[in-house]
Structure formats: C-alpha cells, structure tokens
Amino acid sequence: MQSFLHYRMDLNAMEENYRQKNRTCFILGASGETGKALLKEIVERNIFSKITLIGRRQLTFEDKAYENLVQNVVDFEKLDEYAEAFQGHDVGYCCLGTTKAKAGAEGFVRVDHDYVLKSAELAKAGGCSHFHLESSKGADKTSSFLYLKTKGQVEAEIEDLGFERFSVYRPAVLLVDREESRPAEWVAQKFLGAFSSVFPTMSIPITVVARAMVVNTLKDGEKRVEILENKAICNLGDKK
C-alpha cells in the first residue's frame, strides 16, 4: 500500500511537471479501440495544452471534457495536401491500423505502412519531437508473415526519420470490449484475460496499453529509440 501511494504521488508530480511544459499533441486513430482508450486517458490527466485528432472523419463526443478537442479531417490517400494538420505538435501518438481480414493484403499494407509512415514524415517535418507508435508483438522486418513484416518495416523506417524520441509499443493480444459482437474473439479474450496476470506475455488489456503510453510520455527518455515489449508495457501501465 505504501509503495502504491509513493507511486501515485510520483505520478501526480510527473503530471504536474509535464503540464508546466505547455506541450501539445496529436492522435492518429482515435476512433479505434486503442485510440479511444488513449484519448480518454490523456483528457482525464489533462497533461496537454492542446489535443488534436487527425482522422478521416469527424468524431462526436457527449462528454463536455472533450469539447476543446481540435479535429482535423484528412484524406489519407492525399496526405501531402494536409501537411498543415501535422504542424506545431510536440508529441504524436499513432494508433492507426487495420487487419488483412478487413482490408485485404494490399489495404492492410496501405494503412499500416503507407499511411503510418507518411504521417510520421509529416509530423517530423512539422516539428514533432516525441513520436509514439502502437506496433505489435513479434514485429520483424525480416519476418515471412506479412503482418509482422509490415509492422517491423514501418518501425525501422520511422526510426530512420530521426525523431528526438521514438517510442514503440509491441503489445500481445489486446483485450477489449468491442462495440460489435464477435463471439469467437470474445471467448478468446475471456480465456486469455483469465491468465493475463499470470502470463503477462500472452495478452494485455487495451486500457493498460493506453496508460503505458501516457505514463511513458511523462518520463524522461533514456534512449532516443525505445521498444517496449508486452511485459514492459504491463509494468508501466498497470498502475492507475
């Protein structure tokens, strides 16, 4: 209990210290599950002076806590025409992604590689100093699996852009209560969720990933490029 209170006090101090820096951020993929959880975490902690959502459509929010959000609607097929949307942000969060099942192989690569990389390029050109990327456990540019290869390739190419700080998150199976009904996925999540605390390399609640991204933002980076595997994400995000 004492260690938890000490952690909470440290986190509060980190938040206040970060708040004083008057920094701004943007979020890509705020309509997705991780993006939603991340946005909620950021809004509740109130650590940024300005939060911008960049996406293909305008999002609606009932909670008044979201009323000061700035939203920039872009066409990801013509991102160069929307370079202004990426200018003037200190921190960028990319939770953009789709699946091969949903978009097909070509569509998956276009979103998870092309859109992500172009967004990172524009963010770097626009002055972003700390870029966060939600990737995947097993990401490897030399993999024979399209999904893992694509994730690994975009990680490497964004690293080459030379951000002052680049944070990569490689979560395992994401545990989330989706709005749509997916019976098979629900069963798998219930099974993995029961063992998530015992075997933290198998799965991770999506709220823990979001919290880890925010807590990591508050910390001073020890390295220019940091890759957080699933266990490290759990350790960072399991405290409220």
Side-chain angles (χ1 to χ4, degrees):
M1 181 65 178
Q2 189 173 10
S3 62
F4 173 76
L5 290 175
H6 180 69
Y7 176 92
R8 181 65 253 183
M9 289 171 65
D10 282 352
L11 191 56
N12 285 338
M14 289 166 66
E15 288 176 3
E16 183 55 35
N17 179 59
Y18 197 87
R19 220 171 270 128
Q20 299 302 316
K21 297 177 181 179
N22 198 37
R23 289 182 175 167
T24 62
C25 78
F26 72 83
I27 301 175
L28 283 161
S31 63
E33 299 300 336
T34 304
K36 287 178 188 175
L38 175 63
L39 175 59
K40 183 174 185 292
E41 193 78 24
I42 288 175
V43 168
E44 288 180 350
R45 293 186 185 275
N46 190 31
I47 56 174
F48 291 104
S49 60
K50 180 181 175 183
I51 304 168
T52 300
L53 308 184
I54 301 176
R56 58 186 177 83
R57 61 185 173 86
Q58 192 90 0
L59 303 181
T60 56
F61 302 96
E62 295 182 3
D63 194 327
K64 286 191 175 182
Y66 295 81
E67 63 184 3
N68 293 324
L69 295 177
V70 176
Q71 296 198 52
N72 289 327
V73 177
V74 302
D75 181 346
F76 283 99
E77 292 293 332
K78 304 174 182 177
L79 269 184
D80 280 321
E81 297 179 12
Y82 298 88
E84 189 176 345
F86 293 86
Q87 293 177 359
H89 309 289
D90 299 300
V91 181
Y93 298 94
C94 183
C95 303
L96 207 58
T98 186
T99 63
K100 185 178 175 182
K102 186 175 181 180
E106 186 178 329
F108 163 71
V109 173
R110 189 162 63 249
V111 173
D112 284 58
H113 178 274
D114 300 352
Y115 293 177
V116 170
L117 180 58
K118 174 54 71 173
S119 295
E121 290 173 348
L122 292 174
K124 179 65 169 61
C128 177
S129 58
H130 189 184
F131 192 82
H132 300 256
L133 175 67
E134 181 189 19
S135 185
S136 172
K137 179 180 174 66
D140 182 355
K141 64 182 180 181
T142 65
S143 176
S144 57
F145 294 98
L146 178 65
Y147 181 82
L148 299 179
K149 181 178 181 179
T150 301
K151 293 292 188 181
Q153 284 178 330
V154 80
E155 283 183 10
E157 289 170 61
I158 293 177
E159 179 178 345
D160 289 341
L161 295 178
F163 282 98
E164 288 181 27
R165 187 178 173 195
F166 177 38
S167 303
V168 180
Y169 305 85
R170 292 178 174 174
V173 177
L174 295 170
L175 302 176
V176 57
D177 293 325
R178 293 184 182 276
E179 293 179 1
E180 67 268 27
S181 176
R182 297 181 180 181
E185 185 180 73
W186 183 86
V187 171
Q189 288 181 0
K190 290 299 179 183
F191 173 78
L192 290 170
F195 292 95
S196 62
S197 60
V198 182
F199 302 106
T201 59
M202 291 175 60
S203 62
I204 187 169
I206 209 157
T207 52
V208 172
V209 177
R211 194 175 303 124
M213 294 174 81
V214 174
V215 173
N216 195 39
T217 302
L218 303 175
K219 295 175 59 182
D220 292 326
E222 297 177 358
K223 300 178 181 178
R224 186 180 70 81
V225 178
E226 54 188 353
I227 297 177
L228 286 80
E229 300 290 352
N230 198 67
K231 187 174 181 180
I233 299 172
C234 284
N235 291 339
L236 200 57
D238 67 354
K239 300 287 198 306
K240 293 184 180 180

